[in-house]
Amino acid sequence: MTSTLGFPDEATLTKWTDDPAKYNASHHVNQANRPTFTWATVTDPLITVQNSLNYVQALQRENISQEIHLFDGGPHAMDVATDLVGPTVEPHKPHVHHWVTLADEWLTQTLSL
């Protein structure tokens, strides 16, 4: 999360902390990071896709094994994107739900499980 990209808004951020940079995930990437699977929707109205891209770029700079998937649409907090587990608005997104299988395949390959 990068607060300069819109979340949280400035009023909320000042309630949370007097050091916003502390919560910028891409500033904390280093060689200790583990392999990372990232997915996002490009239409997430709360956390912009640029946050994910910044994090992925930070991982890349540190040569951290990773995979990223950006899906065309969907609201924030989609979880596994099914009717059972997902947001109340647009919960069922079969295409976005593929992230679960993609992550499983990638983790199995990456961690040699």
Side-chain angles (χ1 to χ4, degrees), residues 84-96:
L84 183 61
V85 181
T88 56
V89 178
E90 300 182 68
H92 188 68
K93 291 283 195 177
H95 182 66
V96 176

Side-chain angles (χ1 to χ4, degrees), residues 6-104:
F7 179 82
D9 61 57
E10 193 170 329
T12 302
L13 187 61
T14 56
K15 290 178 187 176
W16 288 357
T17 182
D18 58 359
D19 184 10
K22 179 179 177 181
Y23 296 97
N24 185 333
S26 61
H27 290 176
H28 298 286
V29 172
N30 59 49
Q31 285 295 305
N33 279 77
R34 298 293 178 237
T36 304
F37 183 92
T38 303
W39 74 274
T41 63
V42 297
T43 59
D44 186 326
L46 188 59
I47 307 293
T48 67
V49 71
Q50 190 61 49
N51 279 289
S52 296
L53 296 174
N54 289 353
Y55 192 71
V56 164
Q57 288 177 327
L59 291 167
Q60 186 68 28
R61 281 191 297 274
E62 294 293 331
N63 295 311
I64 304 299
S65 177
Q66 64 173 307
E67 184 158 312
I68 181 172
H69 292 272
L70 300 176
F71 295 94
D72 181 44
H76 184 70
M78 293 200 62
D79 201 277
V80 295
T82 67
D83 289 332
L84 183 61
V85 181
T88 56
V89 178
E90 300 182 68
H92 188 68
K93 291 283 195 177
H95 182 66
V96 176
H97 178 72
H98 288 303
W99 82 261
V100 176
T101 302
L102 293 166
D104 180 56

